[in-house]
Amino acid sequence: MGGREVFLRYCTVAGDEVATTWEEARADLVVEGLPIRVPPTYRGQRSYPGLFWAATNDRTLVYESLLELDRLWLADHDPSVERICTQPFQVTGRDGDSRRAHVPDLLLVHSDRTVTLVDVKPAAFLEKPRVRAQFDWTRALCRSKGWRYEIFSGGNPTVLRNLKLLAVGRRPDRLPEGYLTEARATLDEAESSLGKILARSPASCDRSMWRVAVFALVWAGEITIDLHQPVNAETILYRTAEVLV
């Protein structure tokens, strides 16, 4: 598949549209830009578009559906993901006798400089010939650039519920000074339950802010919990062997 016969359009953060070839397109530039299209909103629509603030790169992203929102939650909590953008570009080109134009859903750039392109689609649509042909074409394009390609049809509902609960800790910079230090000092080297940790709130700390501080350490990876089980007072917390920063 000739990369010079496939073209890509993206929008810079300044709002300027850039046209290039697929072969010459750079993920590190595209991921910093604005969405090439903004999902429409209209009366009676079945999808639920909206805005998502990503802690990963401190920016607000558009999403087109609740399924896409779920993938954003997972990306935002993934320590390997360094940059996220949605509706990142439009790619056009020939696919046999057909001409294709496609706007993928997410572009992820990882800390090791690898790239993942994500298309979000409910599982019920994956066997439709037109959908399969589109995704096969996109997968081949990604392979030609050494990018990973992912089709996301849903995540673990328990994990997603837990992430939304823990997300209150995504803004540790808004905590009063000293709360994170106090939370780190309170945690023992041995395993302890969430209920016991929350009950150890120092007298000088507001209890609601103390909860945010503990959740901030979990979100950042300094404390590990089993996200595949519902988070409650009995959830075991333990220090992560290698702190992710």
Side-chain angles (χ1 to χ4, degrees), residues 25-137:
R26 290 175 48 186
D28 62 322
L29 297 180
V30 174
V31 78
E32 300 297 342
L34 300 175
I36 195 63
R37 63 180 286 272
V38 176
T41 59
Y42 52 89
R43 186 186 299 272
Q45 71 184 115
R46 294 185 178 182
S47 61
Y48 294 88
L51 299 173
F52 176 83
W53 179 79
T56 297
N57 45 339
D58 190 14
R59 65 183 299 189
T60 300
L61 305 168
V62 300
Y63 62 85
E64 194 165 12
S65 67
L66 296 182
L67 188 60
E68 190 172 318
L69 176 60
D70 283 349
R71 187 61 184 88
L72 281 170
W73 277 114
L74 295 171
D76 203 30
H77 186 254
D78 185 343
S80 79
V81 175
E82 195 171 83
R83 290 288 184 271
I84 309 170
C85 69
T86 56
Q87 312 292 309
F89 56 76
Q90 182 188 58
V91 58
T92 59
R94 302 293 303 182
D95 179 17
D97 295 332
S98 302
R99 181 165 182 80
R100 298 199 180 279
H102 181 49
V103 178
D105 294 305
L106 281 76
L107 181 68
L108 310 177
V109 175
H110 302 269
S111 55
D112 62 1
R113 315 319 303 161
T114 58
V115 176
T116 301
L117 189 67
V118 182
D119 269 317
V120 175
K121 186 69 70 174
F125 291 88
L126 296 183
E127 295 305 314
K128 292 182 178 294
R130 289 181 61 183
V131 173
R132 291 181 61 182
Q134 177 68 74
F135 288 167
D136 287 346
W137 182 69

Side-chain angles (χ1 to χ4, degrees), residues 171-185:
R171 296 299 301 264
D173 56 304
R174 296 190 174 185
L175 283 166
E177 185 177 356
Y179 270 63
L180 288 178
T181 301
E182 287 277 5
R184 291 188 185 102

Side-chain angles (χ1 to χ4, degrees), residues 12-27:
T12 69
V13 71
D16 300 319
E17 189 173 297
V18 176
T20 185
T21 64
W22 176 258
E23 184 177 74
E24 295 174 344
R26 290 175 48 186

